[in-house]
Amino acid sequence: MEADLLKTGRFKREEHIKRPADIQKLFKTGKRVSVAGAKLFYMLNDRNINRIGFPLPRGYGNAVERNTSRRYSRETYRFFKTHLNTGYDMLLLVYPGNDSFQSRCEKFKTLCQKAGLLKD
């Protein structure tokens, strides 16, 4: 079973950005790219892994919608993480609207291409 988790690119604890100070730093000093309905804040970190957080804007639906949105975002990152350059902190900010896993993947891929985070 553990071999299956490694194949799918498990989202590990050390890949989460949870400290409010780290999130504020990314919002204030990080670079940003955007597409309709989403923004990606990113900056280099001093690590050999990527870290990511999924904040939601104020007023983003009810608890079910917020949890579903975070789940889509985590799964999207997990799907793309092997295709990303390492050493970055990122925040994926998604705005309310018609959303699906497919559209989230397309938005994240476009954002990463704009930011130059995808491997060649």
Side-chain angles (χ1 to χ4, degrees):
M1 181 172 183
E2 190 165 309
D4 292 336
L5 291 176
L6 293 175
K7 287 181 188 175
T8 59
R10 185 171 173 235
F11 188 38
K12 300 174 190 162
R13 179 177 292 222
E14 58 267 9
E15 293 176 294
H16 294 254
I17 295 179
K18 292 195 173 189
R19 288 185 46 221
D22 292 340
I23 292 171
Q24 286 301 318
K25 184 178 178 183
L26 267 166
F27 275 129
K28 289 181 180 178
T29 62
K31 297 176 185 174
R32 65 189 81 188
V33 291
S34 62
V35 296
K39 279 186 187 177
L40 180 70
F41 295 82
Y42 65 99
M43 65 188 294
L44 283 170
N45 62 24
D46 296 330
R47 301 168 182 184
N48 59 355
I49 62 167
N50 288 331
R51 297 187 316 155
I52 191 164
F54 308 107
L56 294 171
R58 289 188 180 165
Y60 190 104
N62 60 26
V64 173
E65 291 168 344
R66 289 190 299 273
N67 290 334
T68 301
S69 179
R70 283 193 190 97
R71 199 173 307 118
Y72 285 161
S73 294
R74 281 193 304 266
E75 188 65 16
T76 299
Y77 172 72
R78 193 184 64 74
F79 183 73
F80 276 100
K81 78 181 214 174
T82 58
H83 304 288
L84 297 174
N85 293 321
T86 57
Y88 288 92
D89 284 346
M90 297 174 270
L91 292 176
L92 179 61
L93 183 64
V94 179
Y95 296 101
N98 290 336
D99 200 16
S100 67
F101 178 68
Q102 174 110 15
S103 69
R104 184 73 51 97
C105 285
E106 291 170 6
K107 288 176 186 176
F108 187 69
K109 183 178 180 182
T110 303
L111 289 167
C112 289
Q113 286 173 336
K114 282 184 168 185
L117 299 177
L118 288 178
K119 291 179 182 175
D120 294 329

